[in-house]
Structures are given as structure tokens and as C-alpha cells.
Amino acid sequence: MKKAPTIRDVAASAGVSVSVVSRVLNPDSGPVAPAKRQDVLRVIDELGYRPRAAARELSAGHALTIGLVVTDLSNPFFARLADRIVWEARSHGIQVVLMTTQEDPHLEADSLDTLLDRSVSGVIATPTGGNIEKWARLQDLGVNVVFVDRTIDELANVDVVSIENFDSAKRSTQHLIGLGHTRIALVTGPLSTSTGRARINGYRAAHEEASLAVDPLLIRDVPFRGDSGGDAVGSLLSMPQPPTGLIVANTAQVQSSVRRLVQVGIRIPDELSVIVFDDNPWTELMSPPLSVIRQPLDMLAVHSLELVLGRMQGKLSADPRLIEVKADFLARNSCAPLAQTAIH
Amino acid sequence: MKKAPTIRDVAASAGVSVSVVSRVLNPDSGPVAPAKRQDVLRVIDELGYRPRAAARELSAGHALTIGLVVTDLSNPFFARLADRIVWEARSHGIQVVLMTTQEDPHLEADSLDTLLDRSVSGVIATPTGGNIEKWARLQDLGVNVVFVDRTIDELANVDVVSIENFDSAKRSTQHLIGLGHTRIALVTGPLSTSTGRARINGYRAAHEEASLAVDPLLIRDVPFRGDSGGDAVGSLLSMPQPPTGLIVANTAQVQSSVRRLVQVGIRIPDELSVIVFDDNPWTELMSPPLSVIRQPLDMLAVHSLELVLGRMQGKLSADPRLIEVKADFLARNSCAPLAQTAIH
DNA sequence: ACCCGGAGTGGAACCGGTTCCACTTTTGTA
DNA sequence: TACAAAAGTGGAACCGGTTCCACTCCGGGT
């Protein structure tokens, strides 16, 4: 087990001072004679020298690292988001430290502390909703925070990247209303989340515009974790007047909800028209393929990274940004006109 | 934007030397009078002091961080594996830096260099198969390497955690043979990977034991990336004598393969019995639900982390470990006796 | 009364980079 | 030719921890 060479080894071997080597390593940090630059580069190559990140960070005061804080990677939405972010970050020479919260504010708090220890220069996160002071403190210490997918209203100065939640929910609802449905169920996220509220509002707006009353019993705000989606679906289907349309707007509960539908054996779309918020590849493999709201992950990833990087380089004005990207509605065969439903 | 307090701030504020603070921070590194310990702890709390990881790492020479190198997180197998590993690691106070390779040895080489810069004490990886010298160098520099899922035969001294590939493939094949199938297709990974070879061998062994000849045209080794699984399936189905059974043993190509089956509209299991290597939740949602080889992700994650940690603490003997965990075969409704097939 | 050993403490070197600054050499221009 | 400005260089401080070591106490054994 060898020891890795240091900058002083390189300097000695090239017959120059460490300052020169450092300047070769960081162009624009000072002049170096072309001949010596060549020497140094040759020695670096021969020795296989690589500067140690810890030393660099210590002296710089911050790391070329960002933290990515998501609920968990078993949710394909976050997995693919993480994949894109890691990919984008790499192309900017930035590493990603991954932390998961399991929707637990305590674990989230831990993660933030750890990221602080690491002096990350930025954090991209899907916040649980708690830890308001902690987030504020993070920003206070100069960490650039970007929330993706969700936001926390109490935090005014955070950049946010999300999809057009209100609009997506509204369009989905309108689509079902357009097919003649009047009893449309909505399974969405907790009311404590911005996402959950926006989607309910969109759902309501669609009803209002169509002069339809909203049955509050058809709206189910359920947690992100556990099997709550399936339970909600079960409960909805056993109502005296069960819904003829269903929108699952809680991405984390789509799988659970659909599993229940399959278990119960309800015929889609004959007995129930279904739309889910998720562009998981498998939605297309089901029979019938599910109509979905496709969340443009690339855009979410690109924009959030752009914001973090922009802040890191001080390129952005002080005021917080809110970027909402459009989500596509993809009609497949899981929705049918109510008339058809009535036949059965 | 405030500046975070340092150990010297704490020392000054508590009226002690930095040595004392450091000893409070690292119990067992030296004695501290109980009274002073209390003082220091109080000040730390008041100031919200947290030691900076970079400084610690610089002086320690290595980081309490491991690198996780996988192909990409859009493959649910890796996503869930990463999730488990991050989760396990956290409970040991260890952070995970995530890198993806897209199966590209160049990107993999980049990742390894980066991890080296970060002085990670361990790496858990699904190697692409290239970069043999680089992996060796990494070990030479004292980084503990554990391969998970796959291995590289040329590297003798690496710990490996994988499922029983030979056995899993053999059992799947036997299951179809037991149902009367004689023309069983196998879509597996590249022959350059240990996984690919082991699975083919298992498939062959099952045939031999049943005194069945193997039609080499039914074995398709395809890359992990792209749409190669779908293409292989398409090609298999258009053979003069198409297979009546199909095993997709290339986890990365399961989705692509199944998508093709759905597109073609072949009836499962009437026209084709299907088994896939993957315990993706959606396999259960299809109609019919797919029979699968369930890879015990938790075990893979736990064991690989255990190995890395064990090495880090020097608890393990020098010789490399090979841990093979059992994968369960889950029969669902995508397999039927050949007789039934003959009716159609 | 004397000495020894261990608890407790602080000073200072060290880890491996970056950066400021003083200094020498070259270059350009009047 | 003279002199200011720019290019090039190396020494040393610094980032914020850890750790070695020397030193001061104190109590216990002879």
C-alpha cells in the first residue's frame, strides 16, 4: 500500500516551488513560464499526482460538492431525478453526496448537519416540511439551497423548481370531466405540502369552471410513506356511490394505489377511469396502459442544478427564483367516457 | 451570511486550549476533567459548533466516506440497491458519494479518480469490466473495494457480493423444462461479465441434466444499455421455430424486453412462458403478473457495506471474500405448461 | 520526606493544498 | 539608455482539525 504523492513531491521532483505547481494546477491563479508548466505537467503525469480534495476544501472554505436530499430512492421518481442530477453535476465537475430522509424530519435534520460538516456549497432537496430554522441556518451559512418538486412556504428566500402542480391537476380533472365523469376521486399528498395543496386547488378549479360540486369525501390526502394510497383506494371503491374516475396525484402512492386496483380486479377503464401522476415506464406496460401526467425530470434536474451553480458562481440576482415547468398529460387507454361506464 | 465557528472559537470561549476541545470531540483520545468537559460541551452547544469534515480528513489522511459507483439510477435495481446502501451507511455515520458510469469505462475511470481525490476509505461498485489497472491502483492506495452484483475475474483480491447466478438461472430453466418446454430462450448480459457467463452456464446445466440439447440461437447475450433486450426479443419471436419459454436474465433489459412483448401482443403465458430476473414491483401489476427471480437487495446492500466497514476497521483477514446470496424464484402466472401452449 | 506515575493541560507541529507578498527578471516604451 | 510595468518565482502564513510531547499537578507507596 503506497502513499499518494503530494504537491511538495511534485515540486521537488520538478525543481520548482509549490507555488508554481499550484499555479499550474489552477490556471488563472498566476503566471507560469511555459517551459516550467510543461515540466510540472510531465512530473504530475509521471507521479500520477492528484490534488487531495480535503486540502483544497479546507483552504477554500467550501467544497465543490452538493448535497442531494430526497426521501428515498425506491421511489422511481426520485431515483430518476437523482440520476439526472448526478449526471448533470458530473459534467460540471461537481460531486454529489446523497442523503435520504424517509420523509422523517429528524433524519432530514441529521442530513443537513452532515452536509454542513462537509461544507457543501449547495443542496438540492425535496424537503419534508419540517426543520424550518435549520434550512434558514443553512442559507445563513452561505449554502445555496434549491427545493425541487415541493417547497416550504415559510421559507421565503429559497429557489424552487417544480412542475405546474395546479395546472396539471386541473387538466387531469378537466379531462375526466370532459369524458362525462362527475364523481372523480383524488388521492393526493399531505395538505402540509405545497404540492398536495396546489393539486387539490387545481382539482377544485376544474370543478368550479364546470359548475360541478366537489364531494369532499372524494379527496384523500394521504402520507407519502406506507400503503396509504392502497388504503385510500380501497376506501373510495367501497363508498355507497363510488367514483367513476380516479386521479392519483401522490407520486409516492401510485404503485400502492394501482396494486390495490389490480387486486380488487376492477375493470379499467370500463368501471373506473384512471390517471396517475408519474411517467414510470411500467405504466405503459399495464393493460390497459395508464394515462399519466409526465413530469419532465430532465428539466427539473437541469434547472435545479443550474440554480445551484448559478448561485455558487454568484451569477444570479439575490431574489429567489421560482421555476415551474410544464408537465405533459399523456392520454392512454385507462380513461373512457362515462357513457361507456354506464353500460356496465 | 455568518461564518461558522471553529475549534479555536470554542476553545477561547470555554477558556481552554484547542487540545482539550479536540479531546472532548474524540473521546478516548485523551483525558479531560469532567468539569471542563461539561464547559466545553455547553459552549459547543451554544455556538452550534460542528467540526469541519475537510479539516478532519486532511489530518486523518482519509475520509469517513464511501463511493458508490453504479451504472445508473434509472435502473430500479441499482436505485433500490443505492437506497439500501445509503440507508445502511448512514446508520454507521458514513456518507455516500454517488457516481454513475452509464456502463462506460471512461466515465468509470473518471469516477475512480474523483473518489481517489476525495480519499474515500471504500468503494462499492458494479464494475463495467474495464479499468483493471485502475481498480488495482485504488486498492494499492488503501481503498477498500467491494464489487456487488458483478465481478472482474482478473482482479483476484477484491471482495465480491452477488447472487447465486448459476443457481438462479438453472432453477428458472428447470422450472420451464418441468412445464414441458424444450425451446427456451435466454436473454442475458454480455459474455464479458461474470454475471452473463454464470447465468448461461446455469441455463446449460439445466438442459444437460434434462438431457436436452441447447440451441445456441436461443441464447442472446446483449449489452446492458440501449434497447437491446427488445431487439433480441423481436428477433427471437420471428425465428422459424420460435421459443415457447423466455428467461430475461439481463436485469437492465427486462423493461425493454417486456415492452416489446406487450407491443407485439403475444399472449402470456398461452403463447409464451416468461420469467424475468428482477423483483421490480411492477412485475406484479402486469396481467398476468410475471414470474421473477427475486434478488435480495437488502442482503446485497448489507453484506457489501459490512465488508467495506470490516476492512476499514481492519477486522477482516486479508484474503478476499466472496459472498453469494440466494435469490428466490417467485412463480406467478406468466408460466404455463407446454400442453396449454399447444392448444393454441 | 521523597519519589514515582498518571491525570490533566496547552503549545506546536502537521496534514496538503491556496494565496498573499516580496523579490528578481524580463519586457516595453519614452 | 533608463525606468516603469509586467511576468515569473519562491517563502511563508493560513485553512481547521488531530496528535505528539513536555510540563504541572496531585495522590499513593516506601
Side-chain angles (χ1 to χ4, degrees), chain A residues 132 139 147 151-160 319-321:
Chain A
I132 311 227
Q139 290 198 292
F147 286 159
T151 179
I152 299 184
D153 293 338
E154 289 90 335
L155 285 166
N157 282 318
V158 187
D159 294 321
V160 178
D319 43 87
R321 303 293 184 92

Side-chain angles (χ1 to χ4, degrees), chain A residues 278-281 283-284 289-292 294 329-335:
Chain A
D278 220 333
D279 54 339
N280 272 311
T283 52
E284 200 188 346
L290 300 182
S291 299
V292 300
R294 166 169 290 172
F329 175 70
L330 244 74
R332 293 205 273 242
N333 296 326
S334 62
C335 299

Side-chain angles (χ1 to χ4, degrees), chain A residues 130-333:
Chain A
N131 296 312
I132 311 227
E133 349 60 43
K134 206 136 219 157
W135 283 114
R137 192 171 124 78
L138 215 62
Q139 290 198 292
D140 222 37
L141 288 167
V143 179
N144 304 292
V145 177
V146 174
F147 286 159
V148 63
D149 184 52
R150 309 180 200 157
T151 179
I152 299 184
D153 293 338
E154 289 90 335
L155 285 166
N157 282 318
V158 187
D159 294 321
V160 178
V161 180
S162 74
I163 65 161
E164 294 179 339
N165 286 302
F166 177 88
D167 200 55
S168 306
K170 187 172 164 191
R171 266 190 296 157
S172 316
T173 313
Q174 283 175 327
H175 184 253
L176 290 179
I177 293 178
L179 290 171
H181 295 273
T182 55
R183 290 192 60 74
I184 301 167
L186 177 71
V187 175
T188 184
L191 287 172
S192 58
T193 64
S194 53
T195 327
R197 287 193 302 274
R199 293 180 186 175
I200 290 185
N201 290 340
Y203 168 90
R204 287 217 148 93
H207 280 74
E208 273 171 32
E209 284 186 16
S211 307
L212 268 176
V214 171
D215 179 351
L217 288 177
L218 290 178
I219 301 181
R220 305 294 172 113
D221 58 300
V222 299
F224 294 123
R225 310 280 300 168
D227 200 32
S228 48
D231 295 343
V233 166
S235 151
L236 284 166
L237 293 182
S238 62
M239 287 173 75
Q241 277 189 63
T244 62
L246 170 66
I247 300 173
V248 184
N250 181 332
T251 46
Q253 292 298 333
V254 166
Q255 220 158 69
S256 162
S257 304
V258 172
R259 178 177 303 117
R260 184 63 65 99
L261 292 177
V262 169
Q263 280 169 358
V264 171
I266 195 165
R267 279 165 312 172
I268 303 172
D270 302 354
E271 294 178 275
L272 186 70
S273 288
V274 176
I275 297 174
V276 304
F277 269 52
D278 220 333
D279 54 339
N280 272 311
W282 59 263
T283 52
E284 200 188 346
L285 299 180
M286 296 200 50
S287 37
L290 300 182
S291 299
V292 300
I293 288 287
R294 166 169 290 172
Q295 314 208 48
L297 281 158
D298 308 31
M299 290 298 100
L300 292 178
V302 169
H303 280 126
S304 39
L305 209 68
E306 224 165 46
L307 282 175
V308 170
L309 290 176
R311 296 264 176 229
M312 277 167 65
Q313 296 156 2
K315 300 270 179 195
L316 271 57
S317 61
D319 43 87
R321 303 293 184 92
L322 167 59
I323 298 184
E324 287 203 320
V325 299
K326 209 175 206 68
D328 295 327
F329 175 70
L330 244 74
R332 293 205 273 242
N333 296 326

Side-chain angles (χ1 to χ4, degrees), chain A residues 1-5 47-55 57-65 71-74 76 78-80 82-83 86-87 90 94-102 106-111 113-114 116-119 137 139-143 254-255 258-260 262-263 281-282 284-287, chain B residues 1-5 47-55 57-65 71-74 76 78-80 82-83 86-87 90 94-102 106-111 113-114 116-119 137 139-143 254-255 258-260 262-263 281-282 284-287:
Chain A
M1 172 174 147
K2 286 175 291 194
K3 222 174 94 271
L47 266 51
Y49 167 74
R50 312 214 90 227
R52 300 213 13 204
E57 287 169 16
L58 179 56
S59 127
H62 63 94
L64 277 186
T65 302
T71 296
D72 68 290
L73 256 31
S74 45
F78 292 128
R80 272 152 43 219
D83 189 57
V86 168
W87 173 247
R90 130 171 266 138
I94 288 186
Q95 282 97 61
V96 175
V97 175
L98 178 65
M99 320 236 62
T100 58
T101 66
Q102 321 291 327
H106 296 99
L107 292 181
E108 182 180 59
D110 270 6
S111 303
D113 283 342
T114 302
L116 216 45
D117 299 349
R118 299 222 71 88
S119 325
R137 192 171 124 78
Q139 290 198 292
D140 222 37
L141 288 167
V143 179
V254 166
Q255 220 158 69
V258 172
R259 178 177 303 117
R260 184 63 65 99
V262 169
Q263 280 169 358
W282 59 263
E284 200 188 346
L285 299 180
M286 296 200 50
S287 37
Chain B
M1 171 174 147
K2 287 175 290 193
K3 222 173 95 273
L47 266 51
Y49 166 74
R50 310 216 91 226
R52 301 219 5 206
E57 286 169 17
L58 179 57
S59 134
H62 63 94
L64 278 186
T65 301
T71 297
D72 68 292
L73 255 33
S74 44
F78 292 129
R80 272 151 44 220
D83 189 56
V86 168
W87 173 246
R90 132 171 266 141
I94 288 187
Q95 282 97 59
V96 175
V97 175
L98 179 63
M99 319 236 61
T100 57
T101 66
Q102 322 291 324
H106 297 101
L107 291 182
E108 183 180 58
D110 270 7
S111 304
D113 283 342
T114 302
L116 216 45
D117 299 349
R118 298 221 73 87
S119 324
R137 192 171 124 78
Q139 289 196 293
D140 221 36
L141 288 167
V143 180
V254 165
Q255 221 159 70
V258 172
R259 179 177 304 118
R260 183 64 65 99
V262 169
Q263 280 169 357
W282 59 263
E284 202 188 347
L285 299 180
M286 296 199 48
S287 36

